[in-house]
């Protein structure tokens, strides 16, 4: 069962509780399902009970108690536990890992893409700064994964401040700067450009049209890099600017080029290269991946399944919060799980490839797909050899 399928299962449980008169709420359109947080358990967790508590007029934990038996009776759900103020922690039955791998195989680079921003325009205002340019360029791609369209507009600055020379780190052409001045929540109060004064006046002879609200403008002002990152090369420079949170000052140093375990970028790219090597070596043994469940006691297996399952939610949050650093950090988590798991994939010594090996190989291949897709969204290459 994939996170999308589990989300539908949760909504069906809510509908059954409503139909049986146990809850009096409007069934929501969407249920958020993510890997359990600290203090949680099982394969996935949902905050649907907390979401419904206010409209139901009941404590969240009581709502969770009502939903629990409906979820437990659902196909593919082995057990449901309630933790904290009312989180439902779901342990899936057989087939969870296999279903997830098949979903990644089916969608490939589109795995994790959604429609939460479908049809929306996301205006981004940025200063003429290399880090802001790279962040905005990355957000154009991340927002597109959720069905939205980001438009980048530059903030006009004082004429004495010269525009920096162009660089190939920002791979999107800057959009026009004809975005009107607007004051909206969460935007920077600094002026962009004077409001237009030659806008056409309404024609009283024409029928009145409803005013459509303008999209909320987001001003991106990440802490600038202390020095020019371009000597690091495109991949390392982009990682140096994107991996830290926007309020953190990026570290521009040759450490990003080191092929060492201490370098997160190296671990992510090396993990992807390892998945490709595993596929090549398995082919030499006449072994191909076949989705199947990976036992919980396999080192790194559970962590890797959890990281892959959580990838769609991370993409959504990165788009909604305009935070590509969330994606970068999740790729590190996925890479670390893969590197702990890789040693279990291929047969050792005279051991013959088995169904267990084929299932682990399929999981490793799925991890490679996610790592390559995530790096591509960041504008960073994913080499097959490293």
């Amino acid at each position: 069962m994939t996170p999308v399928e589990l989300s539908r299962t949760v909504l069906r449980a809510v509908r059954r509780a409503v139909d049986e008169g146990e809850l009096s709420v409007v069934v929501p359109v969407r249920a958020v399902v993510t890997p359990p947080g600290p203090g949680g358990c099982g394969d996935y967790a949902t905050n649907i009970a907390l979401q419904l508590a206010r409209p139901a007029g009941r404590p969240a934990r009581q709502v969770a108690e009502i939903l629990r038996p409906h979820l437990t009776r659902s196909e593919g759900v082995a057990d449901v536990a309630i933790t904290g103020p009312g989180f439902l922690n779901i342990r899936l039955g057989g087939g969870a890992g296999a279903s997830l791998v098949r979903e990644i195989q089916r969608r490939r680079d589109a795995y994790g893409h959604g429609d939460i921003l479908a049809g929306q325009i996301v205006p981004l205002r940025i200063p003429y700064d290399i880090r802001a340019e790279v962040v905005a360029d990355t957000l154009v791609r991340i927002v597109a994964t959720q069905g939205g369209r980001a438009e980048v507009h530059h903030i006009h600055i004082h004429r004495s401040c010269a525009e920096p020379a162009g660089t190939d780190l920002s791979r999107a052409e800057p959009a026009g700067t004809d975005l009107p001045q607007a004051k909206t929540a969460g935007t920077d109060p600094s002026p962009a450009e004077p409001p237009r004064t030659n806008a056409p006046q309404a024609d009283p002879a024409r029928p009145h049209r409803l005013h459509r609200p303008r999209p909320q403008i987001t001003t991106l002002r990440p802490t600038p890099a202390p020095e020019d990152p371009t000597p690091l090369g495109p991949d390392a420079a982009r990682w140096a600017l994107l991996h830290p949170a926007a309020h953190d000052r990026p570290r521009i140093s040759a450490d990003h080029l080191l092929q060492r375990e201490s370098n997160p970028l190296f671990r992510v790219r090396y993990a992807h290269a390892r998945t490709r090597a595993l596929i090549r070596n398995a082919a030499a043994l006449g072994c191909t991946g076949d989705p199947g469940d990976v036992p919980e006691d396999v080192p790194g297996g559970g962590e890797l399944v959890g990281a892959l399952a959580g990838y769609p939610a991370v993409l959504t949050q990165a788009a909604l919060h305009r935070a590509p650093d969330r994606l970068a950090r999740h790729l590190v988590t996925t890479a670390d799980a893969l590197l702990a798991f890789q040693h279990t994939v291929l047969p050792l010594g005279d051991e013959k490839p088995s169904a267990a090996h084929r299932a682990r190989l399929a999981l490793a291949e799925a991890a490679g797909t996610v790592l390559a897709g995530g790096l591509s969204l960041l504008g960073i290459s994913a080499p097959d050899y490293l």
Side-chain angles (χ1 to χ4, degrees), residues 37-275:
C41 58
D43 299 303
Y44 297 98
T46 177
N47 65 347
I48 190 69
L50 284 76
Q51 180 182 341
L52 297 177
R54 183 181 292 274
R58 297 169 179 263
R61 197 168 182 91
Q62 190 177 107
V63 175
E65 291 287 359
I66 293 172
L67 295 177
R68 180 180 179 183
H70 294 288
L71 269 174
T72 304
R73 292 194 296 268
S74 300
E75 184 179 355
V77 175
D79 187 34
V80 180
I82 300 172
T83 59
F87 291 102
L88 288 160
N89 293 255
I90 304 168
R91 183 169 64 84
L92 300 179
S99 180
L100 174 64
V101 171
R102 279 192 290 267
E103 175 74 4
I104 296 173
Q105 288 179 339
R106 182 178 67 85
R107 302 198 65 188
R108 303 299 298 173
D109 291 343
Y111 173 67
H113 294 202
D115 58 1
I116 196 170
L117 294 176
Q120 295 187 33
I121 296 176
V122 179
L124 303 174
R125 296 196 316 172
I126 63 170
Y128 286 103
D129 170 74
I130 188 170
R131 189 182 186 196
E133 297 272 5
V134 170
V135 170
D137 169 57
T138 304
L139 283 174
V140 168
R141 287 187 291 274
I142 292 177
V143 168
T145 68
Q146 304 305 307
R149 179 164 64 89
E151 295 182 346
V152 182
H153 305 263
H154 285 92
I155 300 172
H156 279 287
I157 56 177
H158 194 274
R159 291 181 180 178
S160 62
C161 298
E163 179 181 347
T167 170
D168 63 355
L169 291 178
S170 179
R171 301 178 183 176
E173 288 294 329
T177 56
D178 58 350
L179 189 67
Q181 173 88 7
K183 293 182 179 180
T184 55
T187 62
D188 193 284
S190 58
E193 69 175 332
R196 293 183 178 181
T197 57
N198 60 345
Q201 300 297 317
D203 186 348
R206 294 184 179 179
H208 175 70
R209 295 183 180 179
L210 292 177
H211 173 69
R212 292 184 179 180
R214 291 176 178 172
Q216 181 173 338
I217 303 169
T218 300
T219 298
L220 301 175
R221 284 185 174 272
T223 302
E227 56 187 287
D228 181 13
T230 54
L232 296 177
D235 289 333
R238 290 183 73 91
W239 181 268
L241 299 175
L242 293 170
H243 182 253
H247 58 269
D248 291 332
R249 184 174 295 278
R251 180 175 52 85
I252 308 300
S253 74
D255 291 347
H256 295 295
L257 301 175
L258 297 177
Q259 295 192 9
R260 292 181 183 174
E261 187 179 349
S262 59
N263 179 4
L265 173 60
F266 169 71
R267 296 206 305 275
V268 173
R269 300 176 82 213
Y270 177 66
H272 173 264
R274 285 300 304 151
T275 66

Side-chain angles (χ1 to χ4, degrees), residues 19 107 116 130 244 285 308 311 319 327 357:
D19 292 343
R107 302 198 65 188
I116 196 170
I130 188 170
L285 297 174
L308 298 181
Y311 180 74
L327 172 58
H357 294 115

Side-chain angles (χ1 to χ4, degrees), residues 288-306:
T288 58
D290 184 23
D293 289 327
V294 176
E296 295 182 0
D297 59 350
V298 174
E303 292 80 0
L304 185 55
V305 170

Side-chain angles (χ1 to χ4, degrees), residues 3 30 32-35 111-113 116 139 142-143 145-146 306-334 370 374 377-378:
R30 182 169 172 265
V32 177
V33 174
T34 62
Y111 173 67
H113 294 202
I116 196 170
L139 283 174
I142 292 177
V143 168
T145 68
Q146 304 305 307
L308 298 181
Y311 180 74
V314 170
L315 269 188
T316 299
Q317 293 303 310
L320 293 177
H321 295 280
R322 322 292 190 246
D325 57 287
R326 297 190 181 202
L327 172 58
R329 289 196 296 274
H330 188 76
L331 293 181
V332 176
T333 299
T334 305
V370 169
L377 290 174
L378 298 179

